[in-house]
PDB file of all heavy atoms in Angstrom:
ATOM      1  N   LYS A  81      -0.328  -3.517  -3.567  1.00 98.00           N
ATOM      2  CA  LYS A  81       0.620  -3.005  -2.576  1.00 98.00           C
ATOM      3  C   LYS A  81       0.987  -4.120  -1.608  1.00 98.00           C
ATOM      4  O   LYS A  81       0.155  -4.957  -1.269  1.00 98.00           O
ATOM      5  CB  LYS A  81       0.057  -1.797  -1.823  1.00 98.00           C
ATOM      6  CG  LYS A  81      -1.250  -1.948  -1.070  1.00 98.00           C
ATOM      7  CD  LYS A  81      -1.258  -2.536   0.326  1.00 98.00           C
ATOM      8  CE  LYS A  81      -0.578  -1.919   1.474  1.00 98.00           C
ATOM      9  NZ  LYS A  81      -1.238  -0.828   2.149  1.00 98.00           N
ATOM     10  N   MET A  82       2.239  -4.095  -1.201  1.00 98.00           N
ATOM     11  CA  MET A  82       2.701  -5.035  -0.194  1.00 98.00           C
ATOM     12  C   MET A  82       2.709  -4.340   1.159  1.00 98.00           C
ATOM     13  O   MET A  82       2.932  -3.129   1.247  1.00 98.00           O
ATOM     14  CB  MET A  82       4.116  -5.514  -0.526  1.00 98.00           C
ATOM     15  CG  MET A  82       4.202  -6.322  -1.798  1.00 98.00           C
ATOM     16  SD  MET A  82       3.224  -7.833  -1.693  1.00 98.00           S
ATOM     17  CE  MET A  82       4.071  -8.629  -0.301  1.00 98.00           C
ATOM     18  N   GLY A  83       2.473  -5.109   2.226  1.00 98.00           N
ATOM     19  CA  GLY A  83       2.508  -4.543   3.569  1.00 98.00           C
ATOM     20  C   GLY A  83       3.315  -5.406   4.515  1.00 98.00           C
ATOM     21  O   GLY A  83       3.494  -6.611   4.288  1.00 98.00           O
ATOM     22  N   PHE A  84       3.826  -4.766   5.552  1.00 98.00           N
ATOM     23  CA  PHE A  84       4.650  -5.429   6.568  1.00 98.00           C
ATOM     24  C   PHE A  84       5.865  -6.128   5.952  1.00 98.00           C
ATOM     25  O   PHE A  84       6.199  -7.248   6.319  1.00 98.00           O
ATOM     26  CB  PHE A  84       3.811  -6.406   7.408  1.00 98.00           C
ATOM     27  CG  PHE A  84       2.642  -5.754   8.096  1.00 98.00           C
ATOM     28  CD1 PHE A  84       1.442  -6.421   8.259  1.00 98.00           C
ATOM     29  CD2 PHE A  84       2.739  -4.457   8.568  1.00 98.00           C
ATOM     30  CE1 PHE A  84       0.363  -5.823   8.886  1.00 98.00           C
ATOM     31  CE2 PHE A  84       1.668  -3.834   9.194  1.00 98.00           C
ATOM     32  CZ  PHE A  84       0.471  -4.526   9.350  1.00 98.00           C
ATOM     33  N   THR A  85       6.508  -5.432   5.023  1.00 98.00           N
ATOM     34  CA  THR A  85       7.725  -5.968   4.415  1.00 98.00           C
ATOM     35  C   THR A  85       8.975  -5.449   5.141  1.00 98.00           C
ATOM     36  O   THR A  85      10.087  -5.772   4.759  1.00 98.00           O
ATOM     37  CB  THR A  85       7.806  -5.604   2.917  1.00 98.00           C
ATOM     38  OG1 THR A  85       7.531  -4.210   2.762  1.00 98.00           O
ATOM     39  CG2 THR A  85       6.790  -6.405   2.103  1.00 98.00           C
ATOM     40  N   LYS A  89       7.734  -1.516  10.225  1.00 96.00           N
ATOM     41  CA  LYS A  89       6.267  -1.553  10.099  1.00 96.00           C
ATOM     42  C   LYS A  89       5.692  -2.673  10.964  1.00 96.00           C
ATOM     43  O   LYS A  89       4.659  -2.499  11.615  1.00 96.00           O
ATOM     44  CB  LYS A  89       5.866  -1.771   8.633  1.00 96.00           C
ATOM     45  CG  LYS A  89       5.911  -0.530   7.775  1.00 96.00           C
ATOM     46  CD  LYS A  89       4.809   0.472   8.124  1.00 96.00           C
ATOM     47  CE  LYS A  89       3.414  -0.151   8.021  1.00 96.00           C
ATOM     48  NZ  LYS A  89       2.360   0.837   8.329  1.00 96.00           N
ATOM     49  N   MET A  93       2.986  -1.982  14.094  1.00 96.00           N
ATOM     50  CA  MET A  93       1.615  -2.491  14.087  1.00 96.00           C
ATOM     51  C   MET A  93       1.451  -3.800  14.867  1.00 96.00           C
ATOM     52  O   MET A  93       0.345  -4.295  15.030  1.00 96.00           O
ATOM     53  CB  MET A  93       1.115  -2.667  12.648  1.00 96.00           C
ATOM     54  CG  MET A  93       1.158  -1.395  11.802  1.00 96.00           C
ATOM     55  SD  MET A  93       0.582   0.118  12.638  1.00 96.00           S
ATOM     56  CE  MET A  93      -1.160  -0.253  12.856  1.00 96.00           C
ATOM     57  N   ILE A  99       1.510  -8.927   4.046  1.00 98.00           N
ATOM     58  CA  ILE A  99       0.146  -8.877   3.530  1.00 98.00           C
ATOM     59  C   ILE A  99       0.167  -8.127   2.195  1.00 98.00           C
ATOM     60  O   ILE A  99       1.177  -7.522   1.835  1.00 98.00           O
ATOM     61  CB  ILE A  99      -0.821  -8.170   4.524  1.00 98.00           C
ATOM     62  CG1 ILE A  99      -0.310  -6.755   4.875  1.00 98.00           C
ATOM     63  CG2 ILE A  99      -0.986  -8.997   5.783  1.00 98.00           C
ATOM     64  CD1 ILE A  99      -1.267  -5.950   5.738  1.00 98.00           C
ATOM     65  N   GLU A 126       3.827   6.862   4.646  1.00 98.00           N
ATOM     66  CA  GLU A 126       5.044   6.066   4.824  1.00 98.00           C
ATOM     67  C   GLU A 126       5.879   6.050   3.554  1.00 98.00           C
ATOM     68  O   GLU A 126       5.342   6.176   2.451  1.00 98.00           O
ATOM     69  CB  GLU A 126       4.687   4.643   5.285  1.00 98.00           C
ATOM     70  CG  GLU A 126       3.635   3.958   4.445  1.00 98.00           C
ATOM     71  CD  GLU A 126       3.071   2.695   5.087  1.00 98.00           C
ATOM     72  OE1 GLU A 126       3.192   2.527   6.320  1.00 98.00           O
ATOM     73  OE2 GLU A 126       2.521   1.861   4.354  1.00 98.00           O
ATOM     74  N   GLU A 128       8.027   4.640   0.577  1.00 98.00           N
ATOM     75  CA  GLU A 128       8.061   3.382  -0.163  1.00 98.00           C
ATOM     76  C   GLU A 128       8.804   3.548  -1.488  1.00 98.00           C
ATOM     77  O   GLU A 128       9.182   4.654  -1.882  1.00 98.00           O
ATOM     78  CB  GLU A 128       6.623   2.902  -0.435  1.00 98.00           C
ATOM     79  CG  GLU A 128       5.779   2.766   0.833  1.00 98.00           C
ATOM     80  CD  GLU A 128       4.745   1.653   0.785  1.00 98.00           C
ATOM     81  OE1 GLU A 128       4.711   0.882  -0.205  1.00 98.00           O
ATOM     82  OE2 GLU A 128       3.961   1.555   1.757  1.00 98.00           O
ATOM     83  N   GLU A 158       3.072   6.014   0.396  1.00 98.00           N
ATOM     84  CA  GLU A 158       1.739   5.441   0.541  1.00 98.00           C
ATOM     85  C   GLU A 158       1.023   6.180   1.661  1.00 98.00           C
ATOM     86  O   GLU A 158       1.594   6.428   2.721  1.00 98.00           O
ATOM     87  CB  GLU A 158       1.759   3.943   0.858  1.00 98.00           C
ATOM     88  CG  GLU A 158       0.308   3.456   0.785  1.00 98.00           C
ATOM     89  CD  GLU A 158       0.036   1.994   1.055  1.00 98.00           C
ATOM     90  OE1 GLU A 158       0.816   1.351   1.751  1.00 98.00           O
ATOM     91  OE2 GLU A 158      -0.998   1.526   0.580  1.00 98.00           O
ATOM     92  N   ILE A 160      -1.758   5.477   4.100  1.00 98.00           N
ATOM     93  CA  ILE A 160      -2.596   4.386   4.594  1.00 98.00           C
ATOM     94  C   ILE A 160      -3.654   4.968   5.510  1.00 98.00           C
ATOM     95  O   ILE A 160      -3.462   6.038   6.107  1.00 98.00           O
ATOM     96  CB  ILE A 160      -1.774   3.304   5.340  1.00 98.00           C
ATOM     97  CG1 ILE A 160      -0.864   3.905   6.418  1.00 98.00           C
ATOM     98  CG2 ILE A 160      -0.963   2.477   4.339  1.00 98.00           C
ATOM     99  CD1 ILE A 160      -0.233   2.876   7.335  1.00 98.00           C
ATOM    100  N   PHE A 167      -6.951   2.816  14.670  1.00 97.00           N
ATOM    101  CA  PHE A 167      -5.935   2.196  13.798  1.00 97.00           C
ATOM    102  C   PHE A 167      -5.476   0.864  14.381  1.00 97.00           C
ATOM    103  O   PHE A 167      -4.315   0.483  14.271  1.00 97.00           O
ATOM    104  CB  PHE A 167      -4.729   3.150  13.631  1.00 97.00           C
ATOM    105  CG  PHE A 167      -4.245   3.290  12.202  1.00 97.00           C
ATOM    106  CD1 PHE A 167      -4.404   4.482  11.494  1.00 97.00           C
ATOM    107  CD2 PHE A 167      -3.622   2.226  11.552  1.00 97.00           C
ATOM    108  CE1 PHE A 167      -3.956   4.618  10.180  1.00 97.00           C
ATOM    109  CE2 PHE A 167      -3.161   2.356  10.241  1.00 97.00           C
ATOM    110  CZ  PHE A 167      -3.329   3.552   9.559  1.00 97.00           C
ATOM    111  N   PHE A 169      -6.006  -3.382  14.728  1.00 96.00           N
ATOM    112  CA  PHE A 169      -6.587  -4.522  14.008  1.00 96.00           C
ATOM    113  C   PHE A 169      -5.741  -5.773  14.200  1.00 96.00           C
ATOM    114  O   PHE A 169      -4.580  -5.686  14.588  1.00 96.00           O
ATOM    115  CB  PHE A 169      -6.660  -4.198  12.510  1.00 96.00           C
ATOM    116  CG  PHE A 169      -5.437  -3.501  11.954  1.00 96.00           C
ATOM    117  CD1 PHE A 169      -4.223  -4.168  11.835  1.00 96.00           C
ATOM    118  CD2 PHE A 169      -5.498  -2.154  11.551  1.00 96.00           C
ATOM    119  CE1 PHE A 169      -3.101  -3.527  11.325  1.00 96.00           C
ATOM    120  CE2 PHE A 169      -4.357  -1.506  11.049  1.00 96.00           C
ATOM    121  CZ  PHE A 169      -3.159  -2.203  10.943  1.00 96.00           C
ATOM    122  N   VAL A 174      -7.181  -6.388   9.050  1.00 98.00           N
ATOM    123  CA  VAL A 174      -6.487  -5.448   8.154  1.00 98.00           C
ATOM    124  C   VAL A 174      -6.545  -5.933   6.708  1.00 98.00           C
ATOM    125  O   VAL A 174      -6.725  -5.140   5.776  1.00 98.00           O
ATOM    126  CB  VAL A 174      -5.038  -5.145   8.639  1.00 98.00           C
ATOM    127  CG1 VAL A 174      -4.150  -6.365   8.618  1.00 98.00           C
ATOM    128  CG2 VAL A 174      -4.412  -4.017   7.814  1.00 98.00           C
ATOM    129  N   SER A 179      -5.851  -4.057   3.397  1.00 98.00           N
ATOM    130  CA  SER A 179      -4.523  -3.771   3.956  1.00 98.00           C
ATOM    131  C   SER A 179      -4.273  -2.268   4.120  1.00 98.00           C
ATOM    132  O   SER A 179      -3.171  -1.765   3.848  1.00 98.00           O
ATOM    133  CB  SER A 179      -3.437  -4.440   3.106  1.00 98.00           C
ATOM    134  OG  SER A 179      -3.620  -5.852   3.134  1.00 98.00           O
ATOM    135  N   SER A 180      -5.322  -1.571   4.574  1.00 98.00           N
ATOM    136  CA  SER A 180      -5.263  -0.122   4.863  1.00 98.00           C
ATOM    137  C   SER A 180      -4.950   0.753   3.654  1.00 98.00           C
ATOM    138  O   SER A 180      -4.652   1.942   3.813  1.00 98.00           O
ATOM    139  CB  SER A 180      -4.240   0.204   5.974  1.00 98.00           C
ATOM    140  OG  SER A 180      -4.473  -0.529   7.139  1.00 98.00           O
ATOM    141  N   GLY A 249       6.093  -1.514   0.092  1.00 98.00           N
ATOM    142  CA  GLY A 249       5.884  -1.545   1.545  1.00 98.00           C
ATOM    143  C   GLY A 249       6.734  -0.486   2.222  1.00 98.00           C
ATOM    144  O   GLY A 249       7.794  -0.104   1.721  1.00 98.00           O
ATOM    145  N   GLY A 250       6.279  -0.014   3.358  1.00 98.00           N
ATOM    146  CA  GLY A 250       6.950   1.073   4.071  1.00 98.00           C
ATOM    147  C   GLY A 250       8.311   0.651   4.615  1.00 98.00           C
ATOM    148  O   GLY A 250       8.454  -0.424   5.186  1.00 98.00           O
TER     149      GLY A 250
HETATM  150  C1  OOG B  24      -1.212  -2.015   7.177  1.00 54.20           C
HETATM  151  C2  OOG B  24      -0.564  -1.735   5.863  1.00 54.20           C
HETATM  152  C3  OOG B  24       0.922  -1.955   5.881  1.00 54.20           C
HETATM  153  C4  OOG B  24       3.114  -1.309   4.728  1.00 54.20           C
HETATM  154  O1  OOG B  24       3.673  -0.609   3.890  1.00 54.20           O
HETATM  155  O2  OOG B  24       3.731  -2.027   5.528  1.00 54.20           O
HETATM  156  C5  OOG B  24       1.630  -1.260   4.784  1.00 54.20           C
HETATM  157  C6  OOG B  24      -1.097  -0.845   8.140  1.00 54.20           C
HETATM  158  O3  OOG B  24      -0.011  -0.576   8.658  1.00 54.20           O
HETATM  159  O4  OOG B  24      -2.133  -0.219   8.411  1.00 54.20           O
HETATM  160  O5  OOG B  24       1.061  -0.617   3.930  1.00 54.20           O
END
Side-chain angles (χ1 to χ4, degrees):
K81 58 83 63 81
M82 295 298 299
F84 302 144
T85 48
K89 280 290 303 181
M93 302 317 293
I99 56 175
E126 50 193 20
E128 304 212 5
E158 188 180 25
I160 51 170
F167 226 111
F169 42 69
V174 64
S179 298
S180 306

